[in-house]
Structures are given as structure tokens and as C-alpha cells.
Amino acid sequence: MILFDRFRSAGLLIVTLFVATLASPQQKSSHNNPDGMGTISLPEAVEGARYQYQLLAKTGSRPGTWIREHGTLPKGLKLSPLGLLDGIPGETGEFHFAVSTSTAGQVAENRRQLTLVVVAPLFARWEHYPKINGQRIEGSIKVSNPTANDFDLTFITVAVNEIGRAEALGYQRFNLRKNTTDFQLPFGENVPVGSYQVHVDVVAEVAATHSIYRQHLETKEKLVLQQGP
């Protein structure tokens, strides 16, 4: 329980650098695109990390000012007149927007339908939701690290009973490599009779950038372990 409290009270500082600049993003279907170029999926962004992407005009087109015609950019991200998407995304999700260039006396050119996905720097989800198996509470989660940095990851799972006593179900500390998706972390332990809520805390530290990311999961209902016959 001491470890659990210490990690929950740790300070949060995110100072991460992430640059994604590709000249030829993947093109999808041309559905609903008046320029016939299709919807373009931009390189994925990470919430709280610096993002840059330079839009390029079609060969032979006149230089112009880039504008966003419609749609929404993530909070913290801006489009410059020179076509640079730049900033630190402050929210996750999938964002759709259209951009084009304009010059004096000319119709819009280089029209693009764009999609940008912003993901969390650390993601944890239930794989096997906690359950009682005999005298044990057990389950598992999956964690992902979509960033360009390795994580010093600490994983703690406890079951807290009706009087606030915590029973340890699992603990690991290891290096979670960059660009890792759905790494499995099982947990399980025998516990006394009682009514329990399971808490999972995942803390990722990046020494190079002095960054700390955290995720917390907990069961919505009580798991009741009764005295056997």
C-alpha cells in the first residue's frame, strides 16, 4: 500500500519532443473529395507531445496561403499560412478537416481532406476483467506505448476490501519499449473472505524527458469472496 500511495502522489511533468514530418502520407478513398485526391491519413500524433507536419502543394501549382476550410483540429495544434501543422495536441481522438491554398484572384487550390488520430502516450485497458476464481482474484490488462521513447514502467494491482485493507494482486517493473501495442500484464493472488474493489495503477517514467505518464483502472462493482462450505 505504501508503493501504491507513493506513485499516486508523484508529480506530473510532460516535456516530450515528437516530430513526424513525412512528404507522402498514405491516401485513402476519394469519396466526397472535390479535388479527387482522397482522404489523407496524417502520421499519428501523441497527446502532450510535439507534432509537426508540413503540407506540400501539388507540383506546378502557384504558392499560396494555406487555410482550414472546415473541420476541427485538436486543441493545441495550428495550421500556419505556410502549411505547417504544428503544436502539442491537448486531447485524444480522430479529427477530420479540409485545407486548401488561396492566392489573390484565384480559386482554392491544393484542396485536401485530412484525418489526424491523436493517441494517449500511455494506454491501459482490461484484457480479462477481474473475477473470483476459487480463493483468488485474478485478471489481466494490456498496455501500449505508442511514443518514440522507451518507458520505465511500474505496474501495481491491489484489491481493497470493505474496511479499506489492500491485498496485493500483482507488481512488476520493467522496460516497455517504444511503439509497443497491447503488452499483456496478468495478475492474481489468494485473498481472505471479503468484498473487494480491484485497483490497477500503471506509471511510465521517461528519464530523458523528465516525463511521467499514468493510467488507472478499477472495477465498477464489488467482487465478493464468501466463506466456502
Side-chain angles (χ1 to χ4, degrees), residues 33-55:
N33 191 333
D35 199 26
M37 293 187 63
T39 297
I40 299 174
S41 293
L42 299 176
E44 195 172 74
V46 178
E47 182 186 19
R50 184 67 178 272
Y51 183 88
Q52 289 185 331
Y53 182 87
Q54 178 64 56
L55 296 171

Side-chain angles (χ1 to χ4, degrees), residues 92-162:
T92 60
E94 184 172 296
F95 301 86
H96 305 273
F97 51 98
V99 298
S100 65
T101 57
S102 62
T103 55
Q106 299 291 328
V107 297
E109 297 181 329
N110 299 300
R111 184 174 282 112
R112 313 279 174 85
Q113 300 281 349
L114 304 176
T115 295
L116 175 63
V117 175
V118 182
V119 299
L122 171 65
F123 183 70
R125 64 181 178 87
W126 296 115
E127 180 190 30
H128 298 297
Y129 195 76
K131 66 178 181 180
I132 292 176
N133 184 9
Q135 298 299 308
R136 291 170 56 86
I137 294 179
E138 55 188 30
S140 65
I141 68 168
K142 284 186 174 181
V143 295
S144 298
N145 171 12
T147 75
N149 296 294
D150 292 348
F151 287 166
D152 179 0
L153 194 85
T154 301
F155 160 67
I156 301 171
T157 307
V158 297
V160 181
N161 70 6
E162 61 273 16

Side-chain angles (χ1 to χ4, degrees), residues 62-83:
R62 297 181 181 182
T65 300
W66 286 92
I67 61 171
R68 176 167 54 90
E69 293 186 341
H70 59 78
T72 304
L73 289 171
K75 294 178 181 178
L77 203 63
K78 294 182 179 180
L79 173 65
S80 77
L82 297 178

